[in-house]
Amino acid sequence: MTVAAPIRRVSRFTIGLFFGLVAMVGSLLVTDYGISWDEPTDHRNGLVSVRYVADLVAPAWAARQPVLQGLPPFESNLDNDHGVLFEMPLALLHVLQPGLDLGTFYQLRHFGVFLVTLGSLWFLFRLAVLRFRDERLGLLVVALFLASPRFFAESFYNGKDLVFLALFTTGTYTLARLLARPTLGRAALHGLATAAAIDVRILGLLLVPATFVLLAVPGPSERLTALFRRLIRVAACYAGVTLVATIAGWPYLWEHPLQHFLLAGRHMSHFPWVGQVLYLGELYWANGLPWHYAPVWIGLTTPGAYLLAAAVGLAAISYRLLSRPLPFLRTLSGRLDVLLIGWLVAPLLLVMVLHSVLYDGWRHLYFVYPALLLLAVRGGLALHRAAQPLPRWRSLARVAAVVAVLEVLVTVGRMVRMHPFEHVYFNYLTPAQAERLFERDYWGLSFRQGLEWLVRQRPTGTIPVDVSHLPLLENNKLLLSAADRQRLTLDPPAAGRYFITAHRIVGHRSLSQLYADSLGQEVFAIRADGARILTIFWRQQGQPLAQPVPHNQGK
């Protein structure tokens, strides 16, 4: 199936300049972010898998590598069912450079997250061009992604959700190419992309039924016998490559692949995280959230213009699909539109039906965001075309476009003002509402700036501290100089010491309930767009605070 409509081109220089500027800006900003909760755990998981592979192929070499010593046995590692396709190369880098400072390593890891995300933006651009036949609109979709505060920030450190978003987007693009021209080569390439997504997060499996269903739709003049032959060849090639590459890229599947894959799927659908989250001002257990948890988070952390335009795009596609389903589906653009709806809607319905454990906002569903942006551009086009025959509607459409552009500009201005805490963005909540209703810096990145303030405030001598969450202290100490790391000592009973908190809910009680009036005098605070995300207290005397909250390994 070929696409006859010509593509409206942009000069190669313009495209290269656009992506070059993104790469340059990202390279300048990548060292601005702290180290989040899970990064050491994810890195250790990668090291465990590297050790497992090395013990199989070069056990003598593995025994000589200091970084690989003291790791838990592969069989008892709790995180084996987390894909390690992204983590293993980084772990191998650490093994080959054992003297590398850990703070430097994690900044290199951040750069790796950024590079993977940047690569996916190219595939998002190509996917948009394939659907809209206009390279200007392809650049627009990428620009909307970059003007999404939470996604921009997390593109530098979120090695789970943003890397999965990147690989799922890549897999969707290879699927679109396969639908445009179903050859064996494209089927094999799509199989590799699907396997890569699965080997980061098992939800990448969603690409498999989407592929089979859309391949089964005949082209405008395709006979059923030709369709059947094509399905057999292309689908078999795709399935075989996906299966082999998925197992090859995930050491956990090397022994008992089916059993371990099913265990990983069960673990994903009922993730054993037993904490509580602050949602709409109330505390909920993560396995008992209301059905609207994910939609509300999406609505509050996405620019309003994107949401409205995506709703129009969703309505426009639904209208065409319901009006003339078969003719619509026989076109490439129609199948791609249906793919976008499924990409956005199916995962949301899945977590609602399965009552999946969610926390830290909607980060587990971040991979649907490119579909929302593509639907937003689809909605904008639908409004533009609908308004053309009517002068009055044309004026309204222009006003709507101006308002949307203004919101994007305001959002970019807020991103600049909030940096490096863009991940705390809420579209229309006041700072007081954000503090009262939701958790803000659940990644704990602000600990870095808090510690940097402390060592500047106390340039010499020991600095006794107590913290609400010990891993955030240990992680972000790595970004200080070696001398300053030594000066920070965890000493809760000290008569004079600092208490640092990122205002994360701990256990089943809020911070104020847990620590009552024993926090001390506030001496420093960080606010993101007005909302408090970190506070440092000085406590001269009195009884010690409660013990720091241990790190939940399953987070």
Side-chain angles (χ1 to χ4, degrees):
M1 285 170 238
T2 59
V3 179
I7 295 175
R8 186 160 186 172
R9 300 289 182 180
V10 174
S11 71
R12 301 298 95 184
F13 174 79
T14 300
I15 295 173
L17 179 64
F18 178 89
F19 282 96
L21 286 174
V22 175
M24 183 184 70
V25 171
S27 300
L28 293 173
L29 300 181
V30 71
T31 59
D32 291 353
Y33 298 91
I35 301 175
S36 61
W37 273 97
D38 282 3
E39 292 186 66
T41 301
D42 296 338
H43 177 47
R44 185 185 65 176
N45 197 34
L47 287 172
V48 169
S49 291
V50 168
R51 176 63 191 257
Y52 172 72
V53 176
D55 282 340
L56 291 177
V57 299
W61 176 84
R64 295 195 303 270
Q65 306 309 310
V67 178
L68 295 179
Q69 309 312 309
L71 295 169
F74 184 78
E75 297 76 14
S76 61
N77 182 38
L78 296 177
D79 292 320
N80 277 341
D81 54 357
H82 288 61
V84 290
L85 188 67
F86 175 72
E87 296 296 341
M88 282 187 68
L90 293 168
L92 184 60
L93 170 66
H94 191 188
V95 172
L96 297 177
Q97 299 289 331
L100 186 65
D101 177 78
L102 276 177
T104 302
F105 168 79
Y106 283 113
Q107 291 190 327
L108 287 174
R109 184 181 187 276
H110 290 182
F111 191 65
V113 176
F114 170 69
L115 286 180
V116 171
T117 306
L118 179 63
S120 75
L121 292 181
W122 172 257
F123 293 119
L124 179 60
F125 165 72
R126 298 308 310 168
L127 176 60
V129 172
L130 189 59
R131 169 57 190 90
F132 302 120
R133 316 302 297 167
D134 192 330
E135 290 184 339
R136 299 171 305 168
L137 296 179
L139 293 177
L140 174 62
V141 173
V142 175
L144 293 179
F145 184 95
L146 296 171
S148 304
R150 288 183 176 249
F151 289 86
F152 180 84
E154 297 192 30
S155 296
F156 292 97
Y157 54 82
N158 188 344
K160 289 182 176 178
D161 310 296
L162 262 293
V163 168
F164 180 61
L165 177 153
L167 294 179
F168 198 92
T169 301
T170 303
T172 306
Y173 169 64
T174 58
L175 172 55
R177 290 180 74 249
L178 181 62
L179 295 176
R181 188 154 56 89
T183 64
L184 293 180
R186 291 189 174 194
L189 188 62
H190 179 47
L192 291 174
T194 300
I198 296 172
D199 286 344
V200 168
R201 181 164 286 170
I202 199 170
L203 273 173
L205 195 64
L206 290 172
L207 287 167
V208 176
T211 300
F212 289 138
V213 169
L214 292 174
L215 278 176
V217 178
S221 58
E222 191 171 24
R223 295 177 179 270
L224 289 180
T225 54
L227 170 65
F228 183 74
R229 288 196 299 268
R230 173 170 59 82
L231 266 179
I232 292 297
R233 291 187 306 109
V234 173
C237 176
Y238 166 70
V241 172
T242 300
L243 178 63
V244 172
T246 297
I247 295 174
W250 194 351
Y252 179 59
L253 302 181
W254 291 3
E255 295 184 29
H256 314 294
L258 179 59
Q259 177 186 350
H260 285 177
F261 191 83
L262 293 175
L263 285 173
R266 193 176 305 121
H267 190 261
M268 179 276 298
S269 61
H270 295 91
F271 192 71
W273 193 73
V274 294
Q276 285 195 321
V277 296
L278 178 65
Y279 173 64
L280 294 177
E282 301 289 337
L283 289 176
Y284 290 89
W285 291 105
N287 60 357
L289 290 168
W291 66 268
H292 47 74
Y293 178 82
V296 167
W297 265 102
I298 293 172
L300 291 174
T301 56
T302 305
Y306 302 3
L307 294 170
L308 291 174
V312 173
L314 192 63
I317 295 171
S318 300
Y319 175 77
R320 291 198 60 192
L321 179 63
L322 295 174
S323 299
R324 302 183 65 198
L326 287 180
F328 181 65
L329 287 173
R330 283 175 176 266
T331 65
L332 177 63
S333 60
R335 276 172 289 152
L336 293 182
D337 280 349
V338 171
L339 175 61
L340 295 182
I341 291 180
W343 185 0
L344 177 65
V345 176
L348 287 170
L349 294 178
L350 188 65
V351 299
M352 292 178 191
V353 170
L354 295 177
H355 302 287
S356 300
V357 172
L358 299 175
Y359 50 91
D360 297 346
W362 61 291
R363 68 179 184 85
H364 303 88
L365 291 168
Y366 275 0
F367 69 99
V368 308
Y369 192 66
L372 187 148
L373 297 179
L374 289 161
L375 286 170
V377 172
R378 176 71 170 80
L381 287 175
L383 284 175
H384 174 72
R385 290 166 183 163
Q388 288 309 299
L390 304 170
R392 183 175 300 177
W393 285 101
R394 283 203 301 270
S395 299
L396 289 175
R398 292 191 187 101
V399 170
V402 169
V403 171
V405 170
L406 288 176
E407 184 184 13
V408 172
L409 294 177
V410 169
T411 300
V412 172
R414 291 177 67 182
M415 291 171 63
V416 173
R417 187 170 68 248
M418 294 175 72
H419 182 76
F421 306 118
E422 303 95 327
H423 64 288
V424 190
Y425 164 85
F426 290 94
N427 48 19
Y428 304 125
L429 291 184
T430 66
Q433 289 172 328
E435 291 183 12
R436 179 172 58 85
L437 299 177
F438 299 97
E439 295 183 55
R440 283 88 63 200
D441 184 20
Y442 46 73
W443 290 111
L445 301 180
S446 53
F447 254 69
R448 174 186 179 176
Q449 284 73 15
L451 296 179
E452 290 173 343
W453 178 85
L454 267 183
V455 298
R456 289 195 305 269
Q457 185 74 8
R458 297 275 293 267
T460 60
T462 299
I463 307 175
V465 298
D466 189 12
V467 292
S468 59
H469 300 82
L470 183 57
L472 299 181
L473 171 67
E474 297 299 332
N475 293 353
N476 287 281
K477 278 172 61 175
L478 298 174
L479 297 177
L480 300 176
S481 68
D484 284 335
R485 295 177 203 172
Q486 295 297 321
R487 295 198 301 122
L488 285 168
T489 61
L490 186 67
D491 193 3
R497 54 98 185 93
Y498 295 95
F499 177 71
I500 314 171
T501 175
H503 298 278
R504 181 75 189 266
I505 296 302
V506 283
H508 64 281
R509 293 170 291 180
S510 69
L511 182 69
S512 59
Q513 290 172 321
L514 182 61
Y515 296 117
D517 297 325
S518 59
L519 292 174
Q521 176 188 358
E522 179 181 321
V523 293
F524 180 72
I526 295 177
R527 296 178 183 273
D529 214 21
R532 187 190 305 267
I533 61 173
L534 179 132
T535 306
I536 298 179
F537 299 90
W538 168 252
R539 188 164 180 270
Q540 183 62 41
Q541 58 185 358
Q543 295 183 355
L545 301 177
Q547 291 298 314
V549 177
H551 181 37
N552 187 324
Q553 296 291 348
K555 183 178 178 298

